[in-house]
């Protein structure tokens, strides 16, 4: 019995190996015919934009979408030098230093960077290239305040005012990306010494901490369509108000939710060519394409973030209903990497336990 | 072959990632994380909530298992199919539905966690124990009654020992599912509640401390291994076998008013418990444009930017993967069950086969990425790995359901057949297979359901142009806007419907097969 199973193992491995070899690499020396983009669950692209790239480059674009940004970066660190694809997109300023220290990328300076504001160039060696930026901001439910004749909060300071007691819901900074961004926003605004006191006051003002964005926005927040939530202020994105308009039928004339501008924290999403990529040349073409107007103008309605290419025009729905924060809060990636764990621990002590 | 499958798709990738984790440099010893009081808190919470969830699930499910195991009534097969619906739903969706109906004050903490775990796992106890019950020879209990044993004594001394093997099997599965629960615990528990699995995710993905994650995943595996060992012992010690009877000889129509009330009461109670959260999902799928309508369902026919396919294609993908995974699970699991149940069979294999249910899905996912990374076995991006991984989770079901049945086959039936000149192969074919057919079909139903609902591994491996239903639901749920939310819930309703129909069909095959004996 034992010996037989041993043989079967060998046979199984053998069959799988042959099948994989036959299906996988179609000969070593040939020119690659596809380029593989490794990215997170929130990545989206219009079908015609994808086809445009494939026609232009003569390469098939294969998209591997596996997990959230953290999981994708973890996988890229585990497979550094022997990556799953050619280009990784979706690394943000929170995770950047970790990936650069893991030596995951090779440098590439795209000629299209001329159209990108230098504030988005986070790596002088160009191992990563900024593709979009999105801001995590406090959103509020306009109707909720209008019905009660109360002015909505105008700043982060207002949230500690007893008038706004029990109205704020935030995501757990230890488990959620927007939750972490809002914690970083408070660090950027009140300083490494002052943010704890701010959170202490938020806690006294009955802030509700929940696990993730889905629960905070679609269940606890009162302003999302169809929600029976009771809290009119939530941590979400600068682009959430236009989404509330575009996905509502019939479309309302004005956005039902607004953004508290001074709370916005900058998140930049970057792409890089993976070290050991099978098709490095195709990877460069893909990065160039992602910076081109065609892709950049597709970004807002697909991923609800903003293009970094100055020449890209925002879709009319976006122009009408969105507020692009003019000077969002920000922290250097190295500062985040050096302090993230300590901040999250302290935050957990202050806001949760 | 089962061992080979397990070694290739489970032991090898898990060992690869744990080895990688333990060998990464870092300050302090590997034991640091074990000495952390927070780790101890997490381990303790994981164990007690899993045990409590298991007890609660059994308490809620047993009346229904009894009714399904003893009475024949119109709609019986529908009930058996519908209980599986909660089992396949994505945890996030269910957790959000629970938030909508639980009264304030009861909507966070350990209580809603236990309630949600029970909601998910009722199907496990109802179907495994109920089916086993329906095959138990009624005459044993009747004989005891004739000999003067009261109902309580009969339950304690006759029914309980006969049911023990299937109860132990169901309890083991519920325990492992609750033990490794992740989304439910984080959402319904609120901050401050975490299972070992959640902590592994936190260490591996948020903090990138692979060493701590590896140590924790070993702790989890140790707990799971011990739990499986305990239930196997219980199963062996308490179990008494008697011959099996065809269902039609065992079931009877409820006749007295008391019996009717019992059937109606236990089914009604269950319908309320399982139905309310499901109704919330239906309601939210219809909530569009400030009122109610079928807008979200119509939108499902159109391509979406949430993934590169129309949502309906996700239905097809799910069914294809589920069929493949079921095939693999039934073949591999069935072979394993025969090997395990044969006298002197390897108990070690039995134990090992249960572990994938309780191992850390996060670590296994990362293990796949580094274990299968070099040609000739680079199938990190092959879509065929999805049914293989789903089968990995389904195989323990097949084994746990089939083994107790195989063991319970009256050895005298086999001996008699052998005495009459039947070859060992013929004994297997004509005695074992028909009886096992029924258990195997229940197992196949579960394998199908598991594959339909599997999310953790699938999301890791699925591509945007071929998402499964749970992956598609998750993608919609992560996007703001009313229509996206409504489409997520509409797809959840579609998943519910697809599940109920598939299980009804699988049960049909079962009934036809069951007619053999």
């Amino acid at each position: 019995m034992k010996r037989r199973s041993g043989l079967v193992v060998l046979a199984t491995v053998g069959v799988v190996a042959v099948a994989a070899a036959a299906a996988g690499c179609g000969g070593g020396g040939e020119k690659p015919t596809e380029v593989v983009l490794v990215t997170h669950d929130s990545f989206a692209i219009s079908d015609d934009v994808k086809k445009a790239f494939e026609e232009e480059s003569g390469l098939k674009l294969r998209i591997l979408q596996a997990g959230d940004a953290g999981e994708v970066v973890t996988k890229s660190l585990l497979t550094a030098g022997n990556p799953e694809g050619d280009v990784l997109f979706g690394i943000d300023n929170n995770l950047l230093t970790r990936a650069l220290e893991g030596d995951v990328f090779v440098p590439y300076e795209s000629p299209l960077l001329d159209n990108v504001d230098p504030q988005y160039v986070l790596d002088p060696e160009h191992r990563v290239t900024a593709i979009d930026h999105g801001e995590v901001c406090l959103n509020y439910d306009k109707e909720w305040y209008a019905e009660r004749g109360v002015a909505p909060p105008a700043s982060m300071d207002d949230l500690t005012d007893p008038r706004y007691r029990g109205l704020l819901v935030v995501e757990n900074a230890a488990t959620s990306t927007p939750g972490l961004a809002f914690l970083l926003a408070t660090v950027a605004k009140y300083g490494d010494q002052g943010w704890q006191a701010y959170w202490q006051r938020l806690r006294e003002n009955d802030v509700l901490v929940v696990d993730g964005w889905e629960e905070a926005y679609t269940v606890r927040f009162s302003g999302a369509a169809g929600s029976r939530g009771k809290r009119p202020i939530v941590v979400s994105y600068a682009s959430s108000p236009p989404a509330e308009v575009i996905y509502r039928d019939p479309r309302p004339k004005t956005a039902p939710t607004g953004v508290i501008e001074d709370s916005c924290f900058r998140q930049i999403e970057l792409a890089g060519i993976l070290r050991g990529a099978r098709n490095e040349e195709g990877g460069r073409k893909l990065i160039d394409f992602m910076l081109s107007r065609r892709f950049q103008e597709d970004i807002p309605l697909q991923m609800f973030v903003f293009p970094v290419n100055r020449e890209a025009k925002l879709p009319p729905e976006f122009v009408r209903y969105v507020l692009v924060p003019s000077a969002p809060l920000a922290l250097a990636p190295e500062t985040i990497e050096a302090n993230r764990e300590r901040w999250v621990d302290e935050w957990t002590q202050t806001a949760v336990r | 072959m089962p061992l080979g499958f397990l070694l290739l798709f489970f032991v090898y990738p898990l060992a690869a990632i744990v080895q990688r984790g333990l060998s990464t440099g870092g300050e302090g010893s590997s034991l640091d994380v074990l000495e952390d009081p927070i780790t101890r808190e997490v381990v303790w919470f994981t164990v007690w909530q899993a045990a409590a969830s298991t007890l609660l699930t059994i308490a809620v499910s047993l009346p229904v298992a009894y009714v399904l195991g003893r009475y024949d009534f119109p709609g019986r097969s529908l009930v058996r199919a519908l209980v599986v619906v909660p089992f396949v739903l994505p945890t996030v969706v269910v957790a959000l539905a629970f938030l909508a109906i639980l009264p304030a004050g009861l909507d966070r903490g350990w209580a809603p966690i236990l309630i949600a775990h029970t909601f998910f796992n009722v199907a496990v106890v109802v179907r495994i124990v109920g089916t086993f019950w329906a095959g138990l020879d009624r005459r044993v209990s009747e004989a005891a009654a004739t000999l003067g044993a009261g109902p309580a004594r009969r339950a304690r001394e006759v029914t309980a020992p006969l049911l023990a093997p299937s109860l132990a099997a169901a309890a083991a599965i519920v325990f492992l599912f609750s033990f490794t629960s992740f989304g439910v615990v984080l959402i319904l528990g609120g901050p401050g509640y975490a299972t070992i699995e959640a902590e592994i995710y936190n260490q591996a993905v948020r903090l990138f401390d692979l060493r701590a994650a590896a140590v924790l995943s070993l702790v989890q595996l140790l707990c799971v291994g011990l739990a499986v060992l305990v239930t196997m012992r219980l199963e062996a010690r308490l179990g008494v076998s008697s011959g099996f009877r065809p269902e039609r000889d065992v079931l009877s129509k409820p006749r007295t008013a008391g019996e009717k009330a019992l059937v109606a009461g236990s089914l009604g109670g269950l319908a309320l418990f399982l139905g309310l959260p499901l109704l919330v999902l239906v309601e939210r799928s219809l909530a569009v444009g400030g009122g109610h309508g079928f807008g979200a369902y119509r939108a499902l026919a159109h391509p979406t930017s949430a993934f590169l396919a129309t949502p309906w294609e996700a239905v097809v993908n799910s069914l294809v993967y589920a069929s493949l995974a079921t095939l693999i699970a039934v073949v591999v699991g069935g072979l394993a069950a025969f090997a395990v149940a044969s006298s002197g069979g390897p108990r070690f294999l039995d134990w090992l086969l249960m572990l994938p249910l309780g191992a850390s899905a996060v670590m296994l996912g990362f293990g796949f990425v580094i274990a299968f990374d070099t040609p000739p076995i680079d199938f990190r991006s092959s879509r065929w790995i999805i049914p293989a991984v789903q089968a990995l989770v389904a195989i323990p079901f097949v084994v746990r359901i089939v083994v107790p049945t195989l063991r319970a086959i009256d050895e005298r039936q086999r001996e008699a057949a052998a005495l009459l000149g039947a070859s060992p192969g013929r004994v297997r074919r004509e005695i074992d297979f028909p009886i096992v057919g029924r258990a195997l079909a229940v197992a196949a139903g579960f394998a199908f359901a598991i594959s339909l609902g599997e999310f953790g591994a699938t999301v890791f491996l699925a591509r945007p142009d071929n998402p499964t239903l749970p992956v598609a639901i998750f993608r919609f749920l992560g996007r703001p806007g009313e229509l996206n939310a409504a489409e997520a819930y509409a797809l959840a309703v579609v998943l519910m419907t697809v599940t109920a129909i598939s299980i009804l069909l699988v049960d049909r095959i079962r009934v036809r097969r069951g007619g053999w004996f």
Side-chain angles (χ1 to χ4, degrees), chain B residues 267-514:
Chain B
L267 291 184
L270 188 73
L272 209 62
F273 175 56
L274 299 186
L276 266 181
L278 299 181
L279 277 180
V280 171
L281 300 181
V282 174
E283 193 271 329
R284 291 215 61 172
S285 75
L286 296 171
V288 280
H292 288 89
F294 289 97
Y297 290 89
R298 279 194 296 273
L300 292 182
H302 302 293
T304 164
S305 53
F307 41 87
L308 290 168
T310 58
W312 281 114
E313 289 170 44
V315 179
V316 178
N317 289 331
S318 275
L319 289 175
V320 171
Y321 286 141
S323 307
L324 283 173
T326 306
L327 191 70
I328 301 174
V330 168
V331 170
V332 177
L335 286 175
F338 271 104
V340 165
S342 61
S343 50
R347 304 226 96 202
F348 172 72
L349 180 65
D350 192 9
W351 176 79
L352 190 68
L353 277 163
M354 278 298 277
L355 295 188
L357 263 193
S360 163
V362 182
M363 291 301 267
L364 196 59
F366 287 132
F368 269 90
V369 172
I370 61 164
F372 301 124
D373 67 338
T374 26
I377 39 174
D378 185 359
F379 38 59
R380 289 178 297 186
S381 55
S382 160
R383 66 165 81 173
W384 302 117
I385 203 154
I386 295 175
V389 174
Q390 294 176 340
L392 200 61
V393 186
I395 286 171
F397 271 82
V398 177
V399 177
R400 281 270 73 71
I401 294 170
V402 175
V403 166
T405 309
L406 271 176
R407 289 219 175 105
I409 291 175
D410 198 334
E411 196 53 39
R412 284 168 308 182
Q413 278 180 303
R414 289 195 190 115
E415 282 163 8
L419 216 60
L420 292 171
S423 66
R426 189 155 169 214
V427 170
R428 200 157 262 204
R429 209 164 51 239
E430 300 200 356
I431 299 199
D432 290 359
F433 280 162
I435 295 180
V436 165
R438 155 158 84 186
L440 216 48
V442 176
F446 265 115
F448 203 85
I450 284 171
S451 170
L452 277 182
E454 212 287 329
F455 176 72
T458 311
V459 75
F460 239 69
L461 304 160
R463 289 201 243 132
D465 50 350
N466 55 14
T468 63
L469 276 171
V471 171
I473 292 170
F474 178 73
R475 296 263 154 86
F476 272 125
L477 213 53
R479 294 166 77 81
E482 178 183 64
L483 192 59
N484 283 321
E487 279 194 68
Y489 290 108
L491 273 182
V493 174
V494 170
L495 176 60
M496 284 156 54
T497 316
V498 168
T499 305
I501 293 174
S502 324
I503 299 298
L504 266 178
L505 289 177
V506 174
D507 282 352
R508 260 286 140 82
I509 304 171
R510 188 185 84 88
V511 170
R512 271 219 314 273
R513 285 269 178 83

Side-chain angles (χ1 to χ4, degrees), chain A residues 11 81 251:
Chain A
R251 288 187 181 183

Side-chain angles (χ1 to χ4, degrees), chain A residues 131 290-300 307-309 312:
Chain A
I131 303 295
M290 291 177 92
L291 279 179
S292 73
R293 273 186 59 185
R294 187 79 204 252
F295 183 84
Q296 290 275 310
E297 289 178 356
D298 192 41
I299 284 177
V308 292
N309 185 332

Side-chain angles (χ1 to χ4, degrees), chain A residues 272-288:
Chain A
I273 298 172
L274 289 160
R275 187 163 56 82
R278 258 163 256 178
N279 187 359
E280 207 179 307
E281 178 57 38
R284 290 193 201 110
K285 284 186 188 163
L286 183 56
I287 298 240
D288 288 348

Side-chain angles (χ1 to χ4, degrees), chain B residues 207-225:
Chain B
L207 307 175
F208 199 59
D209 187 344
L210 272 186
R211 183 204 290 246
V215 171
L216 284 173
S217 64
L218 286 179
V219 170
Q220 171 160 342
L221 210 55
L222 189 77
C223 295
V224 164

Side-chain angles (χ1 to χ4, degrees), chain A residues 20 41 68 71 98 209 302, chain B residues 108 201 206 283 305 376 475:
Chain A
D41 290 324
D68 64 21
E71 289 167 26
R98 186 187 290 179
V209 181
Q302 290 297 320
Chain B
R108 268 153 86 89
Y201 183 90
R206 305 269 160 209
E283 193 271 329
S305 53
R475 296 263 154 86

